[in-house]
Amino acid sequence: LDSSEAGLAIFHTGVAIGGTGAANTLDDYEVGTFTPTLATTGTNFSSIGYATQTGEYVKVGDLVIAHARVTLNSFTAGSPSGNAVVSGLPFTSKDTTDMASSIGFVSNINFDISSFGTIDVGATTSANNTRVSLTRTRNSGVADGVPHQAVTSSSTDINLVAIYKTA
């Protein structure tokens, strides 16, 4: 799939797996692209320019596996509020507990590890939205979002995978 084909979606229907009966038919399979953005859970940043802004997904039934990468080339914070997120997932997540997400890599974000005794940084796809929250887990086991102040650089680079169920 060529990432230059923004918004492309390919639908496959009627593929039979392990037999020809209706119970063996895969009738909801889709691959496509989307455009992720760096945002916040509150008031967004004033301006962001992207060197890379790509997203690809596979949807089988109500399960979505999405890959997103955003690399900034310009950044003005302005007066944002809330926590840092990658927004623009292709489907709204199901009304359920947090789903699995994973950061492939991230650079130029201050997770403030030393002051919180953080032992893990990661990502979480929350219920009823189209975003992945950047998270940090403290030694106590308490996880919280990464505040917008952690993003301070025009060379921030985030690469992640989200696995979630659709609404």
Side-chain angles (χ1 to χ4, degrees):
L1 192 58
D2 184 344
S3 64
S4 67
E5 299 169 357
L8 174 69
I10 301 169
F11 298 89
H12 302 276
T13 59
V15 176
I17 299 173
T20 58
N24 300 88
T25 302
L26 173 63
D27 59 1
D28 186 6
Y29 176 78
E30 181 179 339
V31 296
T33 61
F34 64 99
T35 305
T37 60
L38 179 62
T40 69
T41 56
T43 304
N44 279 319
F45 302 108
S46 289
S47 118
I48 294 178
Y50 296 93
T52 305
Q53 192 176 17
T54 59
E56 305 87 28
Y57 71 89
V58 174
K59 179 178 176 282
V60 179
D62 65 351
L63 183 66
V64 179
I65 302 169
H67 167 255
R69 182 161 185 202
V70 291
T71 307
L72 308 187
N73 62 14
S74 65
F75 172 78
T76 304
S79 300
S81 64
N83 295 327
V85 298
V86 173
S87 191
L89 291 175
F91 301 95
T92 300
S93 58
K94 191 171 185 174
D95 180 14
T96 186
T97 57
D98 295 339
M99 301 297 288
S101 295
S102 176
I103 293 178
F105 66 82
V106 64
S107 64
N108 294 312
I109 288 187
N110 180 2
F111 283 93
D112 199 13
I113 292 172
S114 62
S115 69
F116 286 99
T118 302
I119 59 170
D120 187 31
V121 294
T124 302
T125 307
S126 300
N128 296 315
N129 62 54
T130 58
R131 65 183 183 225
V132 177
S133 298
L134 302 180
T135 61
R136 57 189 179 187
T137 303
R138 302 172 193 211
N139 290 334
S140 64
V142 174
D144 61 356
V146 174
H148 66 82
Q149 299 94 325
V151 181
T152 60
S153 172
S154 63
S155 59
T156 294
D157 190 359
I158 303 168
N159 187 336
L160 58 83
V161 172
I163 301 171
Y164 64 102
K165 293 202 175 229
T166 61

